[in-house]
Amino acid sequence: MAKKGKLIGIGVGPGDTELLTLKAARVLETVPVIFSPKSSKEKDSIALSIVKPILEKRNDYKRLMIVAPIFPMIEDKEELEKVWTTASEMIAQYLDSGRDVAFITLGDSSIFSTYSYVQKKLIGKYEIETIPGITSFTACAAAKNEALVEQNDILTIVPKIDERLNDVLDTSDSIVLMKASRNTSDLETTIEEKNRPKEIYSVQNCTRENEKIIEGFSNEKPYLTTTIIKFKDD
C-alpha cells in the first residue's frame, strides 16, 4: 500500500516574504502541492502573493500544483461547514496519492486560521505538521517600535466585539482588534470614551510596501488593518 502524504499547515506571516520562517521556506521549496484558499474568484490570495517569490525560484515552478479553493467570508455556519468539508476532501485526495500538501495561511497557522478547520477534519487520518508564523499584531507592535505587553500585562485578542466588550475594556492591559476593518463607529466611540488613559493606533498592510501607521482608529479600513489599544494605568 502506497504511503500517504503529509498535510503541512504553514503560517506565512503578515506580508513581508522575508518574515517567513526558515522552516516554512524550506518546505515551500519542495512540497508538490500547495493549497491557497481565497475569499472569491475575483480576488487573488494574499498568502500566495507572500510566498510567490520563494515558489518562483523553484525549477519545477511551472509544473507546481497550486490549488485555490474558495473560502467565502460569510458567517453562515452550515454553509461554512460545507466549504471546510469539501476542502478537506480535496486535500485528502492528494494525500491519498502520496503527495504532501502545504496549506498556506496568513499570519500564524493557529490564530483565526482557515487551516484549523481542515486540520480538525483530517487529524488522526493523516500525518499533520503545523509550522507557526509571525502574527499580524506582533508585527504591528514591531512597526510601531513599541512593546505590546510588559511585565504582568494581560493581552486580549479580539476578532469581533459583542456583549463582552465592557469586560474586555475593564480587565485587559492591551487589546488587539484583529479584524479592525469591521469596526463600527459606535464601537470606536465606546472604546475612546472608556475612562482609562490609553493609546490607540492602527496599522494598515503591516510589513507590506504600502504599510501605514495611524494614530487612533483607521478611517480607510483596508482588509489588512489591525488596531491596538494600550491602556496606560499607573
Side-chain angles (χ1 to χ4, degrees):
M1 186 176 180
K3 182 181 178 182
K4 293 181 179 180
K6 177 168 72 171
L7 172 61
I8 309 163
I10 300 179
V12 301
D16 184 350
T17 303
E18 292 188 339
L19 292 179
L20 279 167
T21 66
L22 292 173
K23 188 169 189 177
R26 177 177 57 79
V27 171
L28 291 168
E29 288 170 352
T30 58
V31 70
V33 182
I34 293 176
F35 256 64
S36 175
K38 55 184 184 177
S39 59
S40 69
K41 291 181 179 179
E42 295 74 28
K43 293 185 178 181
D44 294 328
S45 164
I46 299 173
L48 184 60
S49 72
I50 294 171
V51 304
K52 203 165 185 180
I54 302 292
L55 303 181
E56 288 178 338
K57 293 179 181 179
R58 291 177 52 159
N59 293 330
D60 63 346
Y61 175 62
K62 292 184 177 180
R63 301 189 304 275
L64 178 63
M65 178 68 70
I66 299 177
V67 184
I70 306 300
F71 277 48
M73 298 182 69
I74 57 177
E75 295 190 8
D76 186 320
K77 290 185 178 180
E78 191 171 319
E79 288 301 314
L80 285 172
E81 189 66 32
K82 293 178 183 177
V83 170
W84 302 329
T85 297
T86 299
S88 300
E89 291 172 348
M90 291 172 63
I91 292 171
Q93 290 179 358
Y94 290 104
L95 298 176
D96 286 339
S97 71
R99 286 174 283 185
D100 292 343
V101 175
F103 190 117
I104 59 174
T105 182
L106 283 172
D108 179 72
S109 43
S110 63
I111 298 179
F112 304 124
S113 166
T114 51
Y115 159 73
S116 64
Y117 301 110
V118 299
Q119 177 191 30
K120 285 189 290 188
K121 289 184 176 297
L122 298 175
I123 198 163
K125 301 175 184 177
Y126 301 93
E127 182 181 359
I128 297 178
E129 178 181 4
T130 302
I131 299 175
I134 292 174
T135 66
S136 61
F137 50 90
T138 54
C140 288
K144 191 75 164 55
N145 277 320
E146 287 188 5
L148 190 57
V149 283
E150 299 175 78
Q151 296 183 335
N152 297 321
D153 287 351
I154 294 174
L155 172 66
T156 303
I157 304 167
V158 181
K160 182 180 179 181
I161 293 293
D162 53 27
E163 67 277 0
R164 295 170 289 180
L165 175 60
N166 284 328
D167 289 340
V168 169
L169 293 178
D170 287 336
T171 59
S172 302
D173 298 297
S174 294
I175 298 172
V176 173
L177 296 181
M178 285 287 290
K179 300 176 182 177
S181 57
R182 300 181 183 180
N183 290 353
T184 65
S185 58
D186 288 343
L187 163 65
E188 294 174 3
T189 299
T190 299
I191 293 173
E192 288 175 334
E193 292 180 348
K194 186 65 180 176
N195 190 26
R196 291 177 67 188
K198 57 191 153 311
E199 174 192 14
I200 302 173
Y201 66 91
S202 302
V203 184
Q204 299 175 181
N205 303 309
C206 189
T207 76
R208 299 173 73 86
E209 291 181 359
N210 54 345
E211 175 186 276
K212 187 175 182 181
I213 302 174
I214 299 161
E215 297 301 325
F217 292 100
S218 168
N219 292 321
E220 300 165 342
K221 297 180 182 177
Y223 176 67
L224 295 180
T225 302
T226 300
T227 296
I228 294 175
I229 301 105
K230 292 183 65 179
F231 290 103
K232 303 289 187 176
D233 302 314
D234 292 333

